[in-house]
Amino acid sequence: MTPPSATIVALATAPAAGAVGILRLSGPAALEVGRALAPGVPQVPTPRHAYLATFVDAAGGVLDEGLFLYFRAPQSFTGEDVVELQAHGSPRLLRLLLARTLEDARVRPALPGEFTRRAFLNGRIDLTRAEAVADLVAADSEAAVRAAAAGLSGALAERIRALEEPLRALHADLEGVLNFPDEAEGADEDAGPRVAALRSEADALRAEVGRGRLVRQGARVALYGPVNAGKSTLFNRLVGEERALVDAEPGTTRDALEARVEWDGLGVTLYDTAGLREAPGRVEALGIARTRDLLAAVDLAVLVLPPEASVEEAASWMREVGATPVLVVTGKCDAVPATLAGAGGGGTGRAAATASASPVFGTVPATGGPAGPGAPLPPPRPRVSGLTGEGVDALRTSVLTRLWGGGTPSAVALVSERHADALRRTAEALGRAEEASRVSTLEVLSGEVGLALEALGEVSGTSVSEALLDTLFQRFCIGK
Ligand SMILES: Nc1nc2c(ncn2[C@@H]2O[C@H](COP(=O)(O)OP(=O)(O)OP(=O)(O)O)[C@@H](O)[C@H]2O)c(=O)[nH]1
Ligand SMILES: [Mg+2]
């Protein structure tokens, strides 16, 4: 990959009025072109020194006064000569300055992400860091900012390298034995345990992928349960405003409502859904169908039950959501004494909950089905009241704990869908390699290890195609 020779230019600040507007040039002609706009700056300026400069038009007329910074290759963000002009943030002025630089035939406008791309091509940063730059710009919660910053500092790159280097060594050993059996004899002896260790490391990295997505996009959490359980009231309380309609009539909510909140720095999209019941009206049935689709897609479903709901009912409701994890709470807890709420009364049909109870609590596990006499007690359901706010803080904490385990968002290295996919292929290839190390030939084993290495290289950037780079840098803004 030869370094591109065109000098590129772009506004590095948003094209709106602001205190400061920055014009950035990168490439061999950066200094000369930059100095044409700021002729007062010495011919050989000190790198990384801020010069107070006058910016002029082609005829020498003064346009603005600002700062001139020069970064000499390779000690710059892109690894090339870089010049930054910091002018006042007038969009019109900045367009004038930009147009002047483009009059020079050696200069062309930068493509989205091209500065960062050059930094990557010149070996200044690896791909995980380049992508973290885009993540940071796009971050919309504190956790996303912190995670992108962790990516930027190379946290993910470090983890990838720790896997990639031994993997590459193993691949080299195996290929050595295959190609030069005499010289490399015995280098494949411990291939089995080495593959196994690498595989478990790859699996561990993969396990963090889901959390990375939570940081980047925020978590999706839906309230669901029987009609009239108090879901919308609780939703409003969690969101902090009267977003959802609340009424004593069952079936009030039809369309799912969503609201974005930030809890402990983690972005959470919260959904209020149509209460589920059998034999609803036609429109309500449409809402119920949507609720089911949504429940299958969210990261966590919060089941809001009326105080009198039994353990069997809770179990049957939990089965509504498929594989989505469920947190069960007892709503309207202000309406009943603590001893009853959450203790599960009776009733068999889930839509026909009544308080006519049989004392079954504690004998049926949450997974449903009849239990033996020694079955463990299910955990007591947390009690909340959307009306009074009781238990709502605790609910928020439980939701975060369920989403995060005990970890803090900032400790998680950001992993994108692209990384997730590459890591999945790495782990799968290593799984097949492990199998091959037991039952197959050295060729097959080495082939799988090679595939794992290639997939992993897509994360670090050691094996990455131009086409992939194009797609990646598309999502950057111009000037980055
Ligand atoms: N005492 C008490 N009443 C509540 C509480 N939450 C809701 N209610 C009442 O219960 C009724 C239903 O409340 P909603 O919040 O609309 O219940 P929902 O689960 O969204 O109902 P649907 O949308 O019809 O499924 C209303 O009359 C509320 O005032 C609560 O925490 N305590
Ligand atoms: Mg509702």
Side-chain angles (χ1 to χ4, degrees):
M1 288 191 259
T2 49
S5 63
T7 294
I8 53 173
V9 65
L11 297 180
T13 43
V20 180
I22 298 178
L23 185 77
R24 190 190 253 174
L25 288 148
S26 177
L31 180 57
E32 220 177 298
V33 176
R35 277 194 67 251
L37 270 66
V41 169
Q43 204 159 4
V44 187
T46 310
R48 297 163 179 257
H49 179 86
Y51 289 91
L52 183 62
T54 303
F55 304 139
V56 299
D57 63 17
V62 173
L63 293 174
D64 192 15
E65 192 175 71
L67 293 181
F68 180 105
L69 291 116
Y70 169 55
F71 302 87
R72 189 168 54 209
Q75 260 90 50
S76 72
F77 176 61
T78 58
E80 306 173 325
D81 266 6
V82 168
V83 165
E84 269 187 32
L85 303 184
Q86 304 194 353
H88 289 106
S90 146
R92 194 69 196 84
L93 162 74
L94 289 162
R95 276 205 302 280
L96 274 176
L97 294 174
L98 182 67
R100 273 215 65 199
T101 64
L102 288 170
E103 283 165 16
D104 192 305
R106 294 167 294 178
V107 181
R108 66 165 172 79
L111 302 169
E114 196 171 7
F115 290 92
T116 315
R117 184 178 187 146
R118 288 188 174 192
F120 166 68
L121 292 176
N122 289 326
R124 299 291 293 169
I125 52 176
D126 79 349
L127 206 50
T128 63
R129 288 192 217 200
E131 291 182 88
V133 172
D135 289 334
L136 186 58
V137 174
D140 72 344
S141 70
E142 184 184 334
V145 167
R146 289 184 189 283
L152 210 52
S153 74
L156 178 60
E158 199 51 55
R159 296 284 304 274
I160 298 292
R161 205 165 28 244
L163 189 58
E164 198 173 16
E165 279 168 8
L167 193 56
R168 178 164 293 119
L170 174 63
H171 192 230
D173 285 347
L174 295 174
E175 287 296 301
V177 175
L178 283 171
N179 295 311
F180 312 102
D182 296 336
E183 288 98 291
E185 203 195 326
D188 60 329
E189 260 170 16
D190 54 352
R194 283 166 79 186
V195 167
L198 288 168
R199 187 207 173 161
S200 65
E201 177 60 28
D203 284 341
L205 206 52
R206 259 188 88 190
E208 289 178 34
V209 164
R211 311 177 109 216
R213 192 185 59 70
L214 285 188
V215 172
R216 175 192 291 268
Q217 293 163 2
R220 309 199 325 146
V221 176
L223 303 180
Y224 86 107
V227 286
N228 232 10
K231 301 178 295 298
S232 297
T233 307
L234 183 59
F235 175 82
N236 287 342
R237 174 70 67 169
L238 287 166
V239 172
E241 50 182 299
E242 300 299 308
R243 287 286 304 279
L245 282 178
V246 167
D247 196 86
E249 184 186 327
T252 305
T253 306
R254 268 97 191 267
D255 276 334
L257 286 179
E258 67 176 86
R260 176 93 175 171
V261 292
E262 191 172 322
W263 292 343
D264 277 9
L266 176 71
V268 175
T269 305
L270 202 64
Y271 297 88
D272 179 26
T273 64
L276 301 179
R277 64 167 160 179
E278 273 138 31
R282 196 171 59 87
V283 177
E284 197 187 338
L286 293 174
I288 290 178
R290 284 199 187 175
T291 297
R292 291 188 197 281
D293 289 345
L294 182 70
L295 288 175
V298 293
D299 300 298
L300 180 67
V302 177
L303 170 57
V304 185
L305 288 175
E308 68 275 9
S310 71
V311 177
E312 296 96 326
E313 283 172 75
S316 128
W317 280 103
M318 287 175 76
R319 283 192 293 270
E320 291 279 343
V321 302
T324 304
V326 181
L327 181 69
V328 193
V329 300
T330 293
K332 300 192 183 182
C333 70
D334 59 288
V336 279
T339 44
L340 175 63
T348 43
R350 60 171 165 73
T354 65
S356 63
S358 58
V360 293
F361 177 67
T363 60
V364 179
T367 46
L377 287 174
R381 297 202 287 265
R383 294 156 41 86
V384 294
S385 164
L387 201 64
T388 64
E390 185 187 337
V392 168
D393 283 340
L395 171 61
R396 210 175 276 136
T397 308
S398 310
V399 166
L400 287 173
T401 310
R402 285 295 290 268
L403 290 171
W404 283 110
T408 59
S410 56
V412 179
L414 191 58
V415 181
S416 69
E417 296 299 328
R418 189 183 79 76
H419 295 153
D421 181 58
L423 284 171
R424 180 183 55 76
R425 285 182 282 118
T426 306
E428 283 172 3
L430 283 172
R432 291 191 303 269
E434 200 180 350
E435 176 79 13
S437 74
R438 287 194 300 267
V439 301
S440 192
T441 62
L442 207 55
E443 275 94 347
V444 175
L445 170 59
S446 183
E448 295 294 354
V449 169
L451 286 177
L453 194 57
E454 200 175 297
L456 196 62
E458 288 175 27
V459 181
S460 63
T462 48
S463 59
V464 74
S465 67
E466 282 295 310
L468 177 60
L469 288 182
D470 285 344
T471 333
L472 278 182
F473 286 101
Q474 282 302 321
R475 72 186 185 98
F476 280 63
C477 41
I478 291 177
K480 207 52 236 157

